[in-house]
């Protein structure tokens, strides 16, 4: 069970947690705000698909490689320094591109942003577990996931408007300003948890912990939801266009998905913390609902099928995300919390990258309907693993008193 440095009042808790939620918004907005508009700026990237693919992969690639590294570093030197350092680096990476104003360095700036996010994203998640109020981890992670979903939603829309108005420098200027504001907010509001004693860890110890039931089932569930979300965002518009729907309609479908995921996560967190939703139930049901959402466009490729898929994937993601992170926090050794969150985020990134690759490969061979069916079947198979999630005592306690809310 994770030890916490819990604030005494709800107001204090909000002051501590809100800048951490804002950090989640920064990484989501930065990732999708740039990615969705790489073909819209100068340089005709839309006509150079290989270059575009590399630029799309740089941000996530940096996160995949570096998140476990920065997670382990956070356990060694402290979560707060890594959070603040990552936000500062994100500010510098974004601001430097504005100053240099050379589109040829867009890839360097994007990699630097991803590396910075690899530092502050898992640190923010670990800090939510350490400094958040006791028995409210589901709500805290639900709000964190909701703000990331809002970043994923707002990024393409606001990023597109900024690029259309002033090119990439305007977008990167806003990202730099946003990051420096969150940095200042976090520096003022987020405390440094007391250091925890650290026992020596061998590679065998690490392997045992990362294959433990407290880590592997929730991480697989998180990876599955990330794969489904990424595929839905990328391929549902294509299904809609093939069915004769306009880009405006297909874009609205993606917005429904993102908003459903954002709205459902805080509610799921509250149900989990109040003992009305079991961890196993949430992860298993979320996985099956997400799989059903992916399967739906095969028999119903029209608007009804797309909206149903968007709602189901959004609800499934909302069930999995807050509960998955709360389970990880509850079952992680406190002194290894940063490493746990970094490794779990790596699993999510792998799902986010691997899902579209698998779906694209199947679609190239047998069509999009077969791709959705294959990915849905694969996700449904992982539900058995979610059912093996250990029961957390945090979900069995009665509702906390007013002083802890």
């Amino acid at each position: 069970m994770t030890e916490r440095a819990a604030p005494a009042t709800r107001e204090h808790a909000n002051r501590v947690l809100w800048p951490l939620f804002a950090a989640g918004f920064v990484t989501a907005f930065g990732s999708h705000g740039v990615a969705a508009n790489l073909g819209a700026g100068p340089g005709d990237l839309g006509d150079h698909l290989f270059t575009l693919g590399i630029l799309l992969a740089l941000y996530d690639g940096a996160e995949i490689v570096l998140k476990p590294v920065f997670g382990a570093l956070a356990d060694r030197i402290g979560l707060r320094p890594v959070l603040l350092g990552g936000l500062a680096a994100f500010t510098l990476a974004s601001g430097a591109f504005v100053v240099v104003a050379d589109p040829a360095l867009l890839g360097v700036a994007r990699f630097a942003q991803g590396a910075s996010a690899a530092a502050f994203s898992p640190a923010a998640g670990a800090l939510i577990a350490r400094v958040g109020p006791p028995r409210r981890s589901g709500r805290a992670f639900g709000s964190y996931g909701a703000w990331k979903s809002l970043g994923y939603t707002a990024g393409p829309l606001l990023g597109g408007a900024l690029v259309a108005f002033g090119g990439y420098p305007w977008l990167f200027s806003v990202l730099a300003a946003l990051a420096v504001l969150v940095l200042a907010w976090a520096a003022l509001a987020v405390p440094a948890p007391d250091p925890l004693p650290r026992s020596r860890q061998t590679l065998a110890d690490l392997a045992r912990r990362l294959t433990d039931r407290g880590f592997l089932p929730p991480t697989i569930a998180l990876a599955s939801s990330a794969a489904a979300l990424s595929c839905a965002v990328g391929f549902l518009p294509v299904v809609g266009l093939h069915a004769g729907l306009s880009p405006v309609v297909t874009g609205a479908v993606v917005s429904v998905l993102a908003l459903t995921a954002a709205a459902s996560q805080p509610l799921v967190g509250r149900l989990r913390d109040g003992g009305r939703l079991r961890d196993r139930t949430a992860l298993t049901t979320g996985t099956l609902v997400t799989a059903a959402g992916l399967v739906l466009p095969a028999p119903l490729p029209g608007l009804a099928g797309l909206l149903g898929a968007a709602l189901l994937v959004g609800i499934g993601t909302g069930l999995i995300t807050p509960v998955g992170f709360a389970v990880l926090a509850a079952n992680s050794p406190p002194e290894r919390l940063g490493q746990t969150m970094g490794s779990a985020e790596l699993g999510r990134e792998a799902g986010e990258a691997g899902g579209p690759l698998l779906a694209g490969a199947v679609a190239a061979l047998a069509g999009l309907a077969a791709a959705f069916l294959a990915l849905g079947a694969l996700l449904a198979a992982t539900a058995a693993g979610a059912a093996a999630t250990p029961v957390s005592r945090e979900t069995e306690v009665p509702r906390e008193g007013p002083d802890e809310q």
Side-chain angles (χ1 to χ4, degrees):
M1 194 70 66
T2 302
E3 298 176 2
R4 303 175 190 270
T9 66
R10 183 174 184 175
E11 291 74 18
H12 190 187
N14 287 337
R15 287 198 298 271
V16 170
L17 292 175
W18 274 103
L20 300 176
F21 301 158
F25 179 86
V26 168
T27 183
F29 182 83
S31 173
H32 281 209
V34 178
N37 296 286
L38 283 173
D44 296 323
L45 285 174
D47 296 330
H48 296 81
L49 296 181
F50 182 68
T51 302
L52 181 60
I54 292 175
L55 291 174
L56 285 168
L58 282 173
Y59 193 102
D60 290 334
E63 289 192 294
I64 288 173
V65 173
L66 295 175
K67 272 184 175 178
V69 176
F70 282 119
L73 179 65
D75 291 331
R76 182 173 297 276
I77 69 172
L79 296 167
R80 188 173 184 270
V82 174
L83 172 77
L84 300 181
L87 287 167
F90 192 95
T91 302
L92 291 173
S94 303
F97 179 79
V98 177
V99 173
V100 174
D102 184 357
L105 296 177
L106 183 61
V108 176
R110 183 133 173 95
F111 182 85
Q113 285 181 328
S116 304
F120 71 78
S121 180
L127 277 164
I128 289 171
R130 282 294 312 279
V131 306
R135 294 187 293 274
R136 286 177 57 90
S137 59
R139 270 168 281 194
F141 281 112
S143 297
Y144 181 66
W147 276 98
K148 291 190 77 169
S149 294
L150 289 175
Y152 291 136
T153 304
L157 298 175
L158 182 55
L162 291 168
V163 171
F165 183 76
Y168 294 131
W170 275 80
L171 175 55
F172 278 81
S173 294
V174 169
L175 290 173
L178 181 62
V180 78
L181 287 174
V182 175
L183 169 62
W185 190 7
L188 292 172
V190 178
D194 294 333
L196 296 171
R198 287 166 46 86
S199 58
R200 183 177 179 83
Q201 177 181 247
T202 66
L203 288 176
D205 295 331
L206 176 62
R208 278 194 297 271
R209 190 159 57 79
L210 296 185
T211 55
D212 183 78
R213 287 198 308 144
F215 178 85
L216 201 56
T219 300
I220 291 175
L222 288 167
S224 297
S225 70
L229 190 63
S230 184
C231 285
V233 169
F235 291 111
L236 284 182
V238 179
V239 174
L241 291 174
H242 287 175
L245 302 177
S246 71
V248 174
V249 173
T250 58
V253 168
V254 174
S255 295
V256 166
L257 190 161
L259 291 174
T260 302
S264 61
Q265 290 185 55
L267 173 62
V268 168
R270 285 195 293 272
L271 293 174
R272 188 257 182 192
D273 291 340
R276 297 189 293 274
L277 180 63
R278 300 285 182 175
D279 294 339
R280 289 177 180 173
T281 302
L283 295 180
T284 304
T285 303
T287 302
L288 291 174
V289 168
T290 304
L294 288 177
V295 169
L296 196 58
L300 292 173
L303 181 58
L306 293 184
L307 282 176
L311 288 170
L312 289 176
V313 172
I315 292 170
T317 300
L319 281 166
I320 291 170
T321 303
V323 175
F325 279 117
V327 172
L328 288 166
N331 290 282
S332 172
E335 70 278 8
R336 303 291 180 188
L337 192 54
Q339 187 181 72
T340 297
M341 291 300 179
S343 299
E345 291 269 10
L346 171 60
R348 289 190 76 198
E349 296 291 344
E352 187 172 353
L357 286 176
L358 174 61
V362 176
L365 294 173
L368 272 174
F372 277 109
L373 287 172
L375 194 61
L378 181 61
L379 259 67
T382 67
T389 303
V391 176
S392 171
R393 285 177 290 174
E394 289 187 359
T395 63
E396 298 177 343
V397 297
R399 186 186 297 271
E400 62 267 30
D403 60 323
E404 292 180 344
Q405 292 184 7

